[in-house]
């Protein structure tokens, strides 16, 4: 069977905007430091995010060492344990995952995948990165100020976050709040770019429904972030004023250390509402790009079109909408009205429906696919397992009556690390293995990659599976030491030791990954332009790595969706998006 | 093509996915501004909700009503009207009118901002002033954030105003003036809501009950 079109323009709607004029720097500094090229900015974002993420990884080691071997390390005391917990959480969620998915993958993939030469506002895009870097430096500075970083927990709940007695209640919390405000300002600049580029700069023929799901995921996550971050911004400003000028937005009349404070009339629960109005969409700000990327990885490496593309898009939209009306399921133990709990439990269960649709569609895409167990595919499959596990425990915690006894236990730590830490990080790794050849022109080492995958995957389960049992046993979270509490059996302590060993191993194996990144950059096998035989536009660039402007003299014209794999009658098992119908019957790989 | 039609397209049917006239195109800058306005709307909406929630508490002590805010509001209305006039002029090609109106728009905005600072000082000098009173703190926070947004607008206004002398690209200036006008109208709308809220004292009982807050 072949496709023949009488008028090819019929397959390619007109381009949305005229070509943009790009700024072409002449100096090395202009190209790679003050760069306005989205691809360079993407690498800058990714390198910064991974760098600060490694700091957070080391912090988690220190926490685990304390939990496994209490009172054995002189450099860990109750105060800095709480500081490490706080910084680990905030760095991982905001400064690593959000920045990496949106600033890193968003910048690299959106223009290439929609067939644009760059982001619509390259200068603003550049400023976005530098503001982000400034936010990271501010946060890092809090390690070196008097009192150290804040130890109030990553949720920064007042009043304790800014009261004497909490670690970092003077300098640390202020730096954290100001850093968050700058992060949000920087992100807003980037986010406007991502949204406008998707809506305005798509190439000819690239209708919204021909966009790869990666772009859909990042696009929707950006919209969520743009609408959710203002809540964090407002609360950060209000708490900064409470801490510095003595206002009482969040601080009620209270006695601290035997002294009546001047604050009066503030509402701590108001902060919780604001924080989680941001905090829950934040889960999907991280998850939606992961959903999109994993859809594309599975489709490419199973040589099969994604099952239920439209349903996948609708699910992304539905999840995005619903994510704004589930926030208070994080607040079941805050003393709010029980009817609210009922409402939010219901919406939480409803959001499981579109999420489950996505999971089914991934599995159905794999079903009878020509599965290539490449490293990206291994990570993608690892993600599906992990996301299902984390999602199922989410159903537990979404119900008020189950959540209340489990809320302050290790069960919650296990749940959200499975669903929001390990699952997206597996996608991050899969995506890096998948797109590294396009970014550098070289393949990552396969053997090292598989070693990295298996140790990370199995090791993560060795960490978090037992943690569920610790939670059921009543082991509390956030505690520096549980000591000789009667209801906690000795076996829980043994499990803690085993978890810590697994965490150390998983952490160390990331060095193999970093080594692979560096080694392959110089010595890796040359990848060619399209090593995975993929259909999307980033693999069809004339140069690899793509030059500034991405597509050479003329922009590609798109004739089809992103998932034409194993099309009956076609010579190859993939048809790139920019191949016109008349070329399909007789084309072979050399034409890509 | 409507968003609904786009989302129900069947992209896997190559032959049937024929020419589509994609939705109406504004410029990228206008779209970016609209997205930004959505972000700012959420920001102020959250502040309004937070204010409303706090009003519902029994110990709510509203901030005193400042007559100066009426004058400030009038100045902001005039700045918005002036910018509308500038937009009207640039579309009709009367550049002198556009320049005068643009200048007037900026000047009235500066008057508004100075007025807001005076209002801050008035409130600070009153016996009611108590930084621990959430109503007072909200007053400064809300007016401050609104003022900062206007200051940001003045930067864009200044860049536009600097370009309207000598030879200039009329289409580009028209776009810039339109963007400024949209932004000013938006911030006027936001201010009217905030003004109503801050000036309401304790008189929003019915509204709070309707919202289920009280």
């Amino acid at each position: 069977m072949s496709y023949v079109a009488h008028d090819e323009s019929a397959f390619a709607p007109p381009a949305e905007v005229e070509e943009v004029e790009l700024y072409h720097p002449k100096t090395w500094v202009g190209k790679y430091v003050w760069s306005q090229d989205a691809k360079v900015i993407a690498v800058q974002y990714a390198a910064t995010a991974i760098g600060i993420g490694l700091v957070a990884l080391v912090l988690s080691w220190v926490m685990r060492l304390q939990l496994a071997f209490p009172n054995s390390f002189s450099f860990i005391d109750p105060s800095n344990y709480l500081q490490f917990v706080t910084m680990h959480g905030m760095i991982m969620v905001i400064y690593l995952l959000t920045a990496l998915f949106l600033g890193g993958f968003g910048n690299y993939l959106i223009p290439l995948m929609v067939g644009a030469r760059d982001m619509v506002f390259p200068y603003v895009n550049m400023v976005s990165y530098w503001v982000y870097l400034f936010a990271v430096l501010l946060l890092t500075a809090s390690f070196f100020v008097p009192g150290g970083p804040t130890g109030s927990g990553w949720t920064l709940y007042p009043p304790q976050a800014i009261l004497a007695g909490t670690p970092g209640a003077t300098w640390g919390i202020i730096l954290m709040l100001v850093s968050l405000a700058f992060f949000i300002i920087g992100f807003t600049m980037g986010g406007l770019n991502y949204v406008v580029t998707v809506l305005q700069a798509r190439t000819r023929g690239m209708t919204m429904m021909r966009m790869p799901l990666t772009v859909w995921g990042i696009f929707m996550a950006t919209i969520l972030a743009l609408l959710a971050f203002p809540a964090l911004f407002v609360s950060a400003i209000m708490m900064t004023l409470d801490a510095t000028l003595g206002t009482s937005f969040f601080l009620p009349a209270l006695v601290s250390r035997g002294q009546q404070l001047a604050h009066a009339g503030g509402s701590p629960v108001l902060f919780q509402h604001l924080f989680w109005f941001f905090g829950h969409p934040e889960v999907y700000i991280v998850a939606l790009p992961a959903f999109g990327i994993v859809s594309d990885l599975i489709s490419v490496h199973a040589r099969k079109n994604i099952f239920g593309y439209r349903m996948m898009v609708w699910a992304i939209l539905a999840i995005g909408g619903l994510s704004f009306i589930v926030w208070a399921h994080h607040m079941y133990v805050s003393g709010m009205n029980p009817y609210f709990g009922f409402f939010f439990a219901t919406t939480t269960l409803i959001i499981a429906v579109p999420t489950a649709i996505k999971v089914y569609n991934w599995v159905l895409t794999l079903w009878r696919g020509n599965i290539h167990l490449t490293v990206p595919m291994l990570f993608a499959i690892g993600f599906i397992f992990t996301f299902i596990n984390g999602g199922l425990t989410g159903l537990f915690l979404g119900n008020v009556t189950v959540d209340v006894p489990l809320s302050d236990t290790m069960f919650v730590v296990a749940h959200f690390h499975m669903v929001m830490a390990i699952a997206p990080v597996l996608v991050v790794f899969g995506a890096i293995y998948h797109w590294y050849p396009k970014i550098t022109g070289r393949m990552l080492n396969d053997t090292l990659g598989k070693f990295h995958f298996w140790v990370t995957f199995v090791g993560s389960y060795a960490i978090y599976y037992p943690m569920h049992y610790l939670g059921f046993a009543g082991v509390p979270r956030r505690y520096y030491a549980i000591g000789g509490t009667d209801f906690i059996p000795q076996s829980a302590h043994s499990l803690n030791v085993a978890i810590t060993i697994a965490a150390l191993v998983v952490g160390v194996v990331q060095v193999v990954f970093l080594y692979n990144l560096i080694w392959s950059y110089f010595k890796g096998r040359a990848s060619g332009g399209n090593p995975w035989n993929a259909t999307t536009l980033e693999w069809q660039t004339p140069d690899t790595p793509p030059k500034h402007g991405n597509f050479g003299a003329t922009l590609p014209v798109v004739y089809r969706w992103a998932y034409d794999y194993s099309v009956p009658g076609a010579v190859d098992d993939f048809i790139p998006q920019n191949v016109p119908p008349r070329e399909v019957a007789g084309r072979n790989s050399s034409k890509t | 093509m409507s968003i609904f039609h786009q989302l129900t397209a069947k992209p896997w049917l190559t032959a049937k996915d024929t020419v589509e006239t994609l939705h109406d195109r504004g410029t990228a800058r206008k779209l970016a501004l609209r997205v930004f306005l959505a972000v700012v709307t959420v920001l102020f909406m959250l502040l309004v909700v937070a204010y409303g929630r706090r009003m519902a508490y029994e110990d709510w002590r509203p901030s005193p009503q400042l007559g100066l805010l009426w004058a400030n509001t009038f100045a902001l209305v005039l700045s918005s009207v002036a910018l509308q006039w500038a937009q009207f002029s640039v579309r009709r090609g009367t550049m002198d009118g556009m320049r005068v109106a643009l200048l007037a728009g900026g000047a009235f905005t500066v008057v508004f901002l100075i007025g807001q600072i005076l209002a801050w000082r008035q409130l600070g000098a009153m016996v009611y002033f108590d930084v621990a009173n959430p109503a007072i703190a909200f007053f400064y926070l809300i007016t401050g954030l609104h003022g900062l947004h206007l200051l940001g607008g003045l930067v864009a206004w200044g860049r536009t105003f600097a370009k309207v002398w000598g030879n200039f690209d009329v289409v580009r200036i028209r776009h810039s003036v339109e963007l400024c006008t949209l932004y000013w109208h938006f911030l006027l709308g936001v201010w009217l809501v905030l003004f109503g809220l801050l000036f309401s004292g304790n008189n929003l009982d019915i509204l709070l009950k309707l919202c289920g807050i009280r």
Side-chain angles (χ1 to χ4, degrees), chain A residues 308-324:
Chain A
Y309 173 85
R310 275 196 308 182
M311 200 62 86
M312 294 297 250
V313 173
W314 295 347
I316 285 175
L317 298 176
I319 290 169
L322 287 168
S323 71
F324 278 103

Side-chain angles (χ1 to χ4, degrees), chain A residues 16 200 208-209 265 310 314, chain B residues 6-9 22 25 54:
Chain A
E16 308 230 337
Q200 292 267 305
M208 292 291 277
M209 292 303 271
R310 275 196 308 182
W314 295 347
Chain B
Q6 284 191 49
L7 290 174
T8 51
L22 291 156
R25 301 278 107 211
R54 186 61 193 81

Side-chain angles (χ1 to χ4, degrees), chain A residues 149-194:
Chain A
T150 176
S152 57
W154 91 277
T155 51
L156 310 178
Y157 279 0
Q160 50 92 11
I162 54 176
L163 291 185
T166 304
T170 48
W171 284 85
I173 184 71
I174 302 295
L175 279 172
M176 169 68 83
L177 295 169
V178 174
S179 168
L180 284 172
F182 274 103
F183 179 92
I184 294 164
I185 291 169
F187 167 75
T188 305
M189 294 177 183
L192 289 174
N193 252 310
Y194 314 154

Side-chain angles (χ1 to χ4, degrees), chain A residues 60-325:
Chain A
S60 72
W61 282 352
V62 181
M63 284 186 274
R64 284 309 320 174
L65 284 173
Q66 165 60 26
L67 290 176
F69 311 105
N71 306 321
S72 305
F73 302 97
S74 60
F75 59 92
I76 314 172
D77 62 30
S79 285
N80 58 30
Y81 176 81
L82 291 173
Q83 291 170 320
F84 297 156
V85 170
T86 306
M87 296 301 274
H88 168 80
M90 193 61 95
I91 289 173
M92 288 299 195
V93 172
I94 307 272
Y95 296 85
L96 170 65
L97 286 174
T98 307
L100 187 53
F101 271 121
L102 300 183
F105 290 112
N107 264 312
Y108 201 90
L109 295 175
I110 289 174
L112 278 166
M113 282 186 148
V114 303
R117 296 215 176 276
D118 204 327
M119 287 291 178
V120 170
F121 308 111
Y123 182 80
V124 178
N125 206 22
M126 176 188 75
V127 177
S128 159
Y129 166 72
W130 290 101
V131 175
Y132 163 65
L133 180 65
F134 180 63
V136 170
L137 292 176
L138 272 180
L139 188 78
T140 313
S142 69
F143 283 104
F144 305 102
V145 294
T150 176
S152 57
W154 91 277
T155 51
L156 310 178
Y157 279 0
Q160 50 92 11
I162 54 176
L163 291 185
T166 304
T170 48
W171 284 85
I173 184 71
I174 302 295
L175 279 172
M176 169 68 83
L177 295 169
V178 174
S179 168
L180 284 172
F182 274 103
F183 179 92
I184 294 164
I185 291 169
F187 167 75
T188 305
M189 294 177 183
L192 289 174
N193 252 310
Y194 314 154
V195 170
V196 177
T197 302
V198 169
L199 291 177
Q200 292 267 305
R202 304 193 307 276
T203 191
R204 187 167 179 233
M206 181 62 84
T207 60
M208 292 291 277
M209 292 303 271
R210 281 177 176 171
M211 292 196 308
L213 286 167
T214 296
V215 178
W216 268 110
I218 295 173
F219 173 63
M220 195 63 199
T222 305
I223 292 175
L224 292 192
L226 285 171
L227 299 180
F229 270 127
L232 184 63
F233 187 75
V234 166
S235 41
I237 290 177
M238 289 160 86
M239 189 148 53
T240 306
L241 295 176
D242 278 0
T244 54
L245 298 182
T247 56
S248 298
F249 291 111
F250 302 131
L251 267 68
L254 47 83
V255 175
S256 172
R257 297 183 157 192
Q259 285 190 323
Q260 174 78 42
L261 300 183
H263 298 284
S267 167
V269 176
L270 175 60
F271 178 87
Q272 295 190 26
H273 279 294
L274 286 171
F275 182 87
W276 288 114
F277 185 79
F278 143 77
H280 195 80
E282 171 63 31
V283 174
Y284 292 99
I285 291 165
V286 171
L288 289 181
F291 289 172
I293 289 171
V294 90
S295 304
D296 285 348
L297 295 190
I298 287 173
S299 179
V300 172
H301 296 275
R303 315 309 296 162
K304 200 173 155 201
N305 64 281
I306 192 77
F307 187 91
Y309 173 85
R310 275 196 308 182
M311 200 62 86
M312 294 297 250
V313 173
W314 295 347
I316 285 175
L317 298 176
I319 290 169
L322 287 168
S323 71
F324 278 103
I325 51 169

Side-chain angles (χ1 to χ4, degrees), chain A residues 527-579:
Chain A
S527 64
N530 190 1
W532 309 117
N533 288 341
T535 61
T536 41
L537 291 181
E538 79 275 23
W539 301 105
Q540 323 306 329
T541 57
D543 306 291
T544 297
K547 292 183 174 158
H548 192 194
N550 294 344
F551 293 101
T554 51
L555 285 173
V557 176
V558 169
Y559 298 92
R560 60 190 70 252
W561 71 335
Y563 300 99
D564 269 346
Y565 291 102
S566 307
V567 177
V571 174
D572 293 329
D573 72 343
F574 71 108
I575 309 173
Q577 287 189 276
N578 59 337
V579 169

